[in-house]
Amino acid sequence: MQKVVIKLDIHDDHDKQKAFRAVSGLPGVDSLAIEMNDKTLTILGDVDPVYACKKLKKWRPEIHAVVPAIEEQHEEQEEVGPSRTWIDYNPPPPQRFYYKPVDNPGPCVIM
């Protein structure tokens, strides 16, 4: 696990959301944080920084730091509570639609 800090050229919340969406789908991303004051994006996880910059090329990215995030990983493990299992999930029952044919359609029949 590593911490990648990328400086972006973002100006408003719309750019922030688009940049967040572009990187959040990458494989290996554990968490994201965007600092609007510094205009930096922090990615935690096993992500290739060059590939992340390729996804963010619209905002002219610059890689500022790539460091191991072992300290932050231990802090997160202490804060995380018990995880929910698939047994906790109770899906709604499936909906069934029935078609009841009309026995006597009436005088308006197109044949």
Side-chain angles (χ1 to χ4, degrees), residues 8-90:
L8 300 174
D9 187 24
I10 52 178
H11 299 288
D12 56 359
D13 288 335
H14 183 69
D15 287 341
K16 177 182 172 181
Q17 289 176 350
K18 285 194 157 220
F20 192 82
R21 282 189 205 140
V23 178
S24 64
L26 294 178
V29 173
D30 290 335
S31 69
L32 293 171
I34 297 180
E35 295 288 332
M36 288 299 289
N37 297 337
D38 302 333
K39 296 184 180 182
T40 58
L41 169 72
T42 305
I43 306 171
L44 288 176
D46 295 323
V47 180
D48 183 18
V50 177
Y51 187 64
C53 286
K54 183 179 176 184
K55 288 289 187 177
L56 296 166
K57 67 182 177 183
K58 180 178 180 181
W59 297 281
R60 290 180 235 116
E62 299 174 8
I63 299 173
H64 274 268
V66 179
V67 294
I70 296 172
E71 304 87 25
E72 295 174 11
Q73 181 181 10
H74 293 297
E75 292 175 7
E76 288 180 14
Q77 287 180 355
E78 295 171 3
E79 295 175 6
V80 174
S83 63
R84 295 181 59 158
T85 61
W86 63 273
I87 297 172
D88 294 339
Y89 178 66
N90 189 8

